[in-house]
Amino acid sequence: MPIQPSGARGITGTVELFEPFAAGLKDLDGFSHIMLIYCFHRSSGYSLEVVPYLDTTVRGVFATRAPRRPNPIGISVVRLKSIEGRTLNIQDIDVLDGTPLLDIKPYVPEFDAPTDVRTGWLETLAKKNINKKSDDRFHTNT
């Protein structure tokens, strides 16, 4: 499994909404990218300190994107290819099949992509490992 959408370039998938939420998709088709907010449903428990996938040093969980969190919430920015009824056809997806979706938001670079950023301990690692796949570090048997 890719560890971030950047490692999932070209991977396609679908998001299927329950019928009562279908009207909420109105006007979403004008956006090229959306943010998916979801629950890490296969993760159990949490650790406040973890060794992140791209590192060998123990880090505070809030300085990582590790799935074993006090509130197991994930966010991914994906490409919206099309909408068919209540199904979103998406690309660059790094989410497990069957993952419970909490919300969908349009991605707006002017709102969501600040230009004056620092990336802490990931400063040099992120660029080198952008296409890496996950290992079993946070794997659970549930």
Side-chain angles (χ1 to χ4, degrees), residues 2 56 59 74 77 91 100 103 107 110 116 122 124 134 136 138 141-142:
T56 57
R59 308 281 181 183
V77 176
Q91 186 174 326
D103 203 356
Y107 177 81
E110 293 80 6
D116 185 22
L122 276 166
T124 57
S134 68
D136 290 335
F138 300 105
N141 292 328
T142 58

PDB file of all heavy atoms in Angstrom, residues 2 56 59 74 77 91 100 103 107 110 116 122 124 134 136 138 141-142:
ATOM      1  N   PRO A   2       0.578   2.212  -0.835  1.00  0.00           N
ATOM      2  CA  PRO A   2       1.346   3.459  -0.810  1.00  0.00           C
ATOM      3  C   PRO A   2       1.186   4.145   0.546  1.00  0.00           C
ATOM      4  O   PRO A   2       0.149   4.035   1.185  1.00  0.00           O
ATOM      5  CB  PRO A   2       0.704   4.294  -1.911  1.00  0.00           C
ATOM      6  CG  PRO A   2      -0.065   3.335  -2.746  1.00  0.00           C
ATOM      7  CD  PRO A   2      -0.450   2.206  -1.850  1.00  0.00           C
ATOM      8  N   THR A  56      14.133   6.158  11.376  1.00  0.00           N
ATOM      9  CA  THR A  56      14.527   5.153  12.364  1.00  0.00           C
ATOM     10  C   THR A  56      14.529   5.744  13.768  1.00  0.00           C
ATOM     11  O   THR A  56      14.901   5.072  14.716  1.00  0.00           O
ATOM     12  CB  THR A  56      15.937   4.605  12.038  1.00  0.00           C
ATOM     13  OG1 THR A  56      16.860   5.696  11.994  1.00  0.00           O
ATOM     14  CG2 THR A  56      15.942   3.853  10.714  1.00  0.00           C
ATOM     15  N   ARG A  59       9.539   9.342  17.142  1.00  0.00           N
ATOM     16  CA  ARG A  59       8.957  10.682  16.986  1.00  0.00           C
ATOM     17  C   ARG A  59       7.615  10.725  17.700  1.00  0.00           C
ATOM     18  O   ARG A  59       6.958   9.704  17.877  1.00  0.00           O
ATOM     19  CB  ARG A  59       8.721  11.008  15.510  1.00  0.00           C
ATOM     20  CG  ARG A  59       9.902  10.820  14.601  1.00  0.00           C
ATOM     21  CD  ARG A  59      10.869  11.953  14.698  1.00  0.00           C
ATOM     22  NE  ARG A  59      11.991  11.756  13.782  1.00  0.00           N
ATOM     23  CZ  ARG A  59      13.005  12.556  13.711  1.00  0.00           C
ATOM     24  NH1 ARG A  59      13.069  13.632  14.469  1.00  0.00           N
ATOM     25  NH2 ARG A  59      13.980  12.311  12.875  1.00  0.00           N
ATOM     26  N   GLY A  74      -7.507   9.871   8.901  1.00  0.00           N
ATOM     27  CA  GLY A  74      -6.576  10.089   7.805  1.00  0.00           C
ATOM     28  C   GLY A  74      -7.138  11.101   6.825  1.00  0.00           C
ATOM     29  O   GLY A  74      -8.356  11.290   6.730  1.00  0.00           O
ATOM     30  N   VAL A  77      -5.350  13.755  -0.382  1.00  0.00           N
ATOM     31  CA  VAL A  77      -5.761  14.583  -1.517  1.00  0.00           C
ATOM     32  C   VAL A  77      -5.649  13.692  -2.747  1.00  0.00           C
ATOM     33  O   VAL A  77      -4.574  13.147  -3.029  1.00  0.00           O
ATOM     34  CB  VAL A  77      -4.874  15.829  -1.661  1.00  0.00           C
ATOM     35  CG1 VAL A  77      -5.252  16.617  -2.914  1.00  0.00           C
ATOM     36  CG2 VAL A  77      -4.991  16.706  -0.418  1.00  0.00           C
ATOM     37  N   GLN A  91      -8.291   9.050  -8.606  1.00  0.00           N
ATOM     38  CA  GLN A  91      -6.956   8.565  -8.963  1.00  0.00           C
ATOM     39  C   GLN A  91      -5.962   9.035  -7.905  1.00  0.00           C
ATOM     40  O   GLN A  91      -6.199  10.035  -7.224  1.00  0.00           O
ATOM     41  CB  GLN A  91      -6.564   9.127 -10.325  1.00  0.00           C
ATOM     42  CG  GLN A  91      -5.275   8.578 -10.874  1.00  0.00           C
ATOM     43  CD  GLN A  91      -5.036   9.076 -12.287  1.00  0.00           C
ATOM     44  OE1 GLN A  91      -5.959   9.271 -13.059  1.00  0.00           O
ATOM     45  NE2 GLN A  91      -3.775   9.284 -12.613  1.00  0.00           N
ATOM     46  N   PRO A 100     -13.935   3.506   5.958  1.00  0.00           N
ATOM     47  CA  PRO A 100     -15.082   4.394   6.205  1.00  0.00           C
ATOM     48  C   PRO A 100     -14.714   5.857   5.946  1.00  0.00           C
ATOM     49  O   PRO A 100     -13.758   6.382   6.520  1.00  0.00           O
ATOM     50  CB  PRO A 100     -15.398   4.188   7.686  1.00  0.00           C
ATOM     51  CG  PRO A 100     -14.674   2.945   8.087  1.00  0.00           C
ATOM     52  CD  PRO A 100     -13.503   2.814   7.175  1.00  0.00           C
ATOM     53  N   ASP A 103     -15.731  12.430   5.465  1.00  0.00           N
ATOM     54  CA  ASP A 103     -16.106  13.659   4.782  1.00  0.00           C
ATOM     55  C   ASP A 103     -15.322  13.791   3.486  1.00  0.00           C
ATOM     56  O   ASP A 103     -14.299  13.135   3.293  1.00  0.00           O
ATOM     57  CB  ASP A 103     -15.821  14.865   5.686  1.00  0.00           C
ATOM     58  CG  ASP A 103     -16.648  16.102   5.329  1.00  0.00           C
ATOM     59  OD1 ASP A 103     -17.408  16.073   4.336  1.00  0.00           O
ATOM     60  OD2 ASP A 103     -16.526  17.102   6.053  1.00  0.00           O
ATOM     61  N   TYR A 107     -10.408  20.390  -2.830  1.00  0.00           N
ATOM     62  CA  TYR A 107      -9.051  20.888  -2.623  1.00  0.00           C
ATOM     63  C   TYR A 107      -8.921  22.212  -3.358  1.00  0.00           C
ATOM     64  O   TYR A 107      -9.169  22.294  -4.558  1.00  0.00           O
ATOM     65  CB  TYR A 107      -8.025  19.877  -3.140  1.00  0.00           C
ATOM     66  CG  TYR A 107      -6.611  20.386  -3.024  1.00  0.00           C
ATOM     67  CD1 TYR A 107      -5.930  20.302  -1.815  1.00  0.00           C
ATOM     68  CD2 TYR A 107      -5.967  20.967  -4.108  1.00  0.00           C
ATOM     69  CE1 TYR A 107      -4.640  20.787  -1.692  1.00  0.00           C
ATOM     70  CE2 TYR A 107      -4.673  21.446  -3.992  1.00  0.00           C
ATOM     71  CZ  TYR A 107      -4.026  21.359  -2.781  1.00  0.00           C
ATOM     72  OH  TYR A 107      -2.753  21.845  -2.662  1.00  0.00           O
ATOM     73  N   GLU A 110      -5.346  27.770  -3.084  1.00  0.00           N
ATOM     74  CA  GLU A 110      -5.247  29.062  -2.403  1.00  0.00           C
ATOM     75  C   GLU A 110      -5.574  28.947  -0.910  1.00  0.00           C
ATOM     76  O   GLU A 110      -5.110  29.752  -0.110  1.00  0.00           O
ATOM     77  CB  GLU A 110      -6.183  30.087  -3.055  1.00  0.00           C
ATOM     78  CG  GLU A 110      -5.784  30.476  -4.464  1.00  0.00           C
ATOM     79  CD  GLU A 110      -6.204  29.466  -5.535  1.00  0.00           C
ATOM     80  OE1 GLU A 110      -6.911  28.491  -5.217  1.00  0.00           O
ATOM     81  OE2 GLU A 110      -5.805  29.644  -6.692  1.00  0.00           O
ATOM     82  N   ASP A 116       4.856  29.218   2.561  1.00  0.00           N
ATOM     83  CA  ASP A 116       5.932  29.413   3.531  1.00  0.00           C
ATOM     84  C   ASP A 116       5.878  28.284   4.562  1.00  0.00           C
ATOM     85  O   ASP A 116       5.357  28.449   5.653  1.00  0.00           O
ATOM     86  CB  ASP A 116       5.767  30.772   4.211  1.00  0.00           C
ATOM     87  CG  ASP A 116       6.904  31.093   5.143  1.00  0.00           C
ATOM     88  OD1 ASP A 116       7.999  30.501   4.977  1.00  0.00           O
ATOM     89  OD2 ASP A 116       6.707  31.904   6.061  1.00  0.00           O
ATOM     90  N   LEU A 122      11.147  15.671   8.322  1.00  0.00           N
ATOM     91  CA  LEU A 122      10.933  15.103   6.986  1.00  0.00           C
ATOM     92  C   LEU A 122      11.605  15.903   5.876  1.00  0.00           C
ATOM     93  O   LEU A 122      11.544  15.517   4.722  1.00  0.00           O
ATOM     94  CB  LEU A 122       9.434  15.024   6.684  1.00  0.00           C
ATOM     95  CG  LEU A 122       8.732  13.802   7.223  1.00  0.00           C
ATOM     96  CD1 LEU A 122       7.228  13.989   7.178  1.00  0.00           C
ATOM     97  CD2 LEU A 122       9.137  12.565   6.459  1.00  0.00           C
ATOM     98  N   THR A 124      14.460  16.332   4.466  1.00  0.00           N
ATOM     99  CA  THR A 124      15.266  15.644   3.450  1.00  0.00           C
ATOM    100  C   THR A 124      14.700  14.276   3.089  1.00  0.00           C
ATOM    101  O   THR A 124      14.873  13.824   1.969  1.00  0.00           O
ATOM    102  CB  THR A 124      16.723  15.472   3.921  1.00  0.00           C
ATOM    103  OG1 THR A 124      16.722  14.769   5.163  1.00  0.00           O
ATOM    104  CG2 THR A 124      17.403  16.813   4.081  1.00  0.00           C
ATOM    105  N   SER A 134       4.174   1.035   1.958  1.00  0.00           N
ATOM    106  CA  SER A 134       4.249   0.796   3.395  1.00  0.00           C
ATOM    107  C   SER A 134       4.847  -0.579   3.696  1.00  0.00           C
ATOM    108  O   SER A 134       4.839  -1.480   2.867  1.00  0.00           O
ATOM    109  CB  SER A 134       2.855   0.902   4.019  1.00  0.00           C
ATOM    110  OG  SER A 134       2.036  -0.149   3.591  1.00  0.00           O
ATOM    111  N   ASP A 136       5.161  -3.432   7.258  1.00  0.00           N
ATOM    112  CA  ASP A 136       4.229  -3.972   8.257  1.00  0.00           C
ATOM    113  C   ASP A 136       4.309  -3.257   9.596  1.00  0.00           C
ATOM    114  O   ASP A 136       3.754  -3.723  10.579  1.00  0.00           O
ATOM    115  CB  ASP A 136       4.492  -5.463   8.468  1.00  0.00           C
ATOM    116  CG  ASP A 136       4.076  -6.286   7.264  1.00  0.00           C
ATOM    117  OD1 ASP A 136       3.196  -5.819   6.523  1.00  0.00           O
ATOM    118  OD2 ASP A 136       4.634  -7.366   7.064  1.00  0.00           O
ATOM    119  N   PHE A 138       2.833  -0.793  11.008  1.00  0.00           N
ATOM    120  CA  PHE A 138       1.589  -0.469  11.704  1.00  0.00           C
ATOM    121  C   PHE A 138       0.501  -1.485  11.391  1.00  0.00           C
ATOM    122  O   PHE A 138      -0.671  -1.240  11.576  1.00  0.00           O
ATOM    123  CB  PHE A 138       1.128   0.944  11.329  1.00  0.00           C
ATOM    124  CG  PHE A 138       2.134   1.985  11.701  1.00  0.00           C
ATOM    125  CD1 PHE A 138       2.907   2.582  10.717  1.00  0.00           C
ATOM    126  CD2 PHE A 138       2.342   2.331  13.017  1.00  0.00           C
ATOM    127  CE1 PHE A 138       3.852   3.542  11.065  1.00  0.00           C
ATOM    128  CE2 PHE A 138       3.297   3.293  13.365  1.00  0.00           C
ATOM    129  CZ  PHE A 138       4.045   3.887  12.381  1.00  0.00           C
ATOM    130  N   ASN A 141      -3.880  -7.374  12.738  1.00  0.00           N
ATOM    131  CA  ASN A 141      -4.539  -8.555  12.195  1.00  0.00           C
ATOM    132  C   ASN A 141      -6.049  -8.423  12.147  1.00  0.00           C
ATOM    133  O   ASN A 141      -6.730  -9.362  11.804  1.00  0.00           O
ATOM    134  CB  ASN A 141      -4.153  -9.786  13.016  1.00  0.00           C
ATOM    135  CG  ASN A 141      -2.705 -10.145  12.835  1.00  0.00           C
ATOM    136  OD1 ASN A 141      -2.130  -9.940  11.762  1.00  0.00           O
ATOM    137  ND2 ASN A 141      -2.060 -10.632  13.876  1.00  0.00           N
ATOM    138  N   THR A 142      -6.581  -7.274  12.529  1.00  0.00           N
ATOM    139  CA  THR A 142      -8.040  -7.103  12.521  1.00  0.00           C
ATOM    140  C   THR A 142      -8.536  -6.647  11.196  1.00  0.00           C
ATOM    141  O   THR A 142      -7.846  -6.174  10.365  1.00  0.00           O
ATOM    142  CB  THR A 142      -8.457  -6.089  13.592  1.00  0.00           C
ATOM    143  OG1 THR A 142      -7.796  -4.854  13.340  1.00  0.00           O
ATOM    144  CG2 THR A 142      -8.158  -6.612  14.979  1.00  0.00           C
TER     145      THR A 142
END
